[in-house]
Amino acid sequence: SGRYLITSTLNVAPVSIDIDITIRGDGMASHILWGADVNLFDVNRNASRDLLIADLKISSVNQLKSDNRWVIITTGCNRGMVFNVFLNDGTHGFYNGIFVKDSSDYCTLHTIHVENFRGTAIQLSGGLQVIINNCRFNAPGTVSPYKLIYTDSIGIHVGGGLSNVQITTCWFFTVGTGLQTSKTISPTSSGTVYIDLSEFHMCGSGVKLMDDSAVYMDNVHLHYSDFAGIYVGVANPIIYVSNSGIIGTGRDCPNPTTGCNGIIMNSGSFLLSAVTIDGGLGHSIWVPAPIIEGVMTGCKISN
């Protein structure tokens, strides 16, 4: 426990891959003050095997961090875990949280709270599998009257080239985009993204799909989106939503000037089963461009 001011990057780089690395505190009593405009933890491939970073509170202090700085970067994560870590803006703001690159086996992010970030809370690219459980992402915003402040903020960005992502029991609040897939980091689309038992509340867009991933959503709630609960750009994803997931904005649209749509499909395919969709003041389902397929079974649609 205690308070620790860090003013340079902590490079975790053992000379041997056989050394297991653990960085563990005592929960909120172990407070790291991120004091310089640098990446805080940078974990290389040798250190990413069975890595554990756990039970820490990390706050940005002294100066606003640049939009290319991260709290934690891991490369080649192999059965590693970041667990019970609370990130917030402290006395000065920050943009980005955790960047997992090229996981060589599964990597787990469990009980991560990222508060008042301005950029991307979690970014993933390349590798085999990342599991994200019980996380909360809260970008700055106002509730009364409702207004997003950082419209470019992203809760989880899957930047391409990752085989499998599993997201369970996560909460996204006043984030520009809750979950986004793209090919902006890796030139290839990611494989499969599973989202279960999660809520996207008062985001610009709840889920934005900009690559060819297959996305499965079960018991996912997307409420009061400024633009769309689900937005699909010019790509060819396949979207499966099932088991009474509630999509849309509800009738009390927080920002009627942008339309507040349920689903916007510019490409790809969607399959909906037992889903309630309410477009609020916009469209429940809007297909402005040709798509491959759309199938709905047992859905309730209102507008």
Side-chain angles (χ1 to χ4, degrees):
S1 62
R3 290 162 59 91
Y4 306 90
L5 176 64
I6 308 297
T7 57
S8 61
T9 299
L10 298 175
N11 289 294
V12 185
V15 296
S16 171
I17 198 171
D18 296 323
I19 300 174
D20 296 339
I21 300 296
T22 296
I23 302 170
R24 189 163 203 167
D26 191 24
M28 298 293 278
S30 297
H31 193 182
I32 293 179
L33 305 177
W34 181 19
D37 188 21
V38 297
N39 296 323
L40 185 58
F41 292 100
D42 194 338
V43 185
N44 79 355
R45 289 185 182 275
N46 282 349
S48 291
R49 180 177 179 179
D50 297 318
L51 168 74
L52 176 63
I53 299 176
D55 300 325
L56 296 170
K57 176 181 178 180
I58 301 173
S59 300
S60 175
V61 298
N62 291 353
Q63 62 187 113
L64 173 66
K65 306 306 180 288
S66 299
D67 60 6
N68 62 344
R69 304 301 188 192
W70 294 86
V71 179
I72 300 171
I73 299 178
T74 71
T75 303
C77 184
N78 186 342
R79 301 190 302 275
M81 174 180 282
V82 181
F83 171 72
N84 193 29
V85 173
F86 177 83
L87 313 176
N88 73 352
D89 55 349
T91 61
H92 289 72
F94 74 106
Y95 281 84
N96 306 312
I98 300 172
F99 189 179
V100 178
K101 299 190 289 185
D102 301 327
S103 59
S104 60
D105 200 335
Y106 62 86
C107 185
T108 302
L109 308 178
H110 194 299
T111 314
I112 310 296
H113 291 189
V114 189
E115 300 286 337
N116 292 328
F117 65 98
R118 305 180 182 199
T120 301
I122 292 177
Q123 182 159 274
L124 316 172
S125 72
L128 295 181
Q129 183 178 37
V130 177
I131 301 167
I132 302 174
N133 291 331
N134 191 34
C135 295
R136 173 190 171 107
F137 311 103
N138 183 191
T142 61
V143 175
S144 183
Y146 166 74
K147 183 180 179 182
L148 285 174
I149 296 177
Y150 295 102
T151 56
D152 294 332
S153 59
I154 301 174
I156 299 174
H157 179 213
V158 184
L162 179 58
S163 295
N164 182 280
V165 184
Q166 297 183 35
I167 301 167
T168 303
T169 322
C170 290
W171 196 66
F172 305 76
F173 182 68
T174 63
V175 182
T177 300
L179 168 74
Q180 179 170 322
T181 67
S182 75
K183 297 187 287 185
T184 56
I185 303 173
S186 173
T188 60
S189 293
S190 295
T192 305
V193 180
Y194 297 91
I195 313 169
D196 183 35
L197 295 170
S198 296
E199 181 170 342
F200 300 77
H201 191 69
M202 297 173 73
C203 297
S205 291
V207 174
K208 181 184 290 186
L209 306 179
M210 305 297 288
D211 73 351
D212 302 338
S213 301
V215 179
Y216 295 79
M217 290 183 274
D218 185 47
N219 286 303
V220 174
H221 300 262
L222 304 101
H223 298 156
Y224 303 104
S225 302
D226 271 15
F227 184 55
I230 298 175
Y231 174 83
V232 177
V234 182
N236 285 295
I238 301 175
I239 308 168
Y240 302 87
V241 186
S242 62
N243 294 335
S244 301
I246 300 174
I247 299 174
T249 57
R251 293 200 171 274
D252 297 322
C253 181
N255 193 350
T257 60
T258 59
C260 298
N261 303 282
I263 301 175
I264 300 177
M265 296 286 300
N266 286 288
S267 64
S269 304
F270 67 88
L271 292 90
L272 311 178
S273 176
V275 177
T276 298
I277 307 171
D278 189 334
L281 299 182
H283 304 277
S284 291
I285 301 177
W286 184 17
V287 184
I291 66 172
I292 298 172
E293 182 182 29
V295 177
M296 293 178 287
T297 303
C299 295
K300 178 182 178 181
I301 301 174
S302 58
N303 195 247

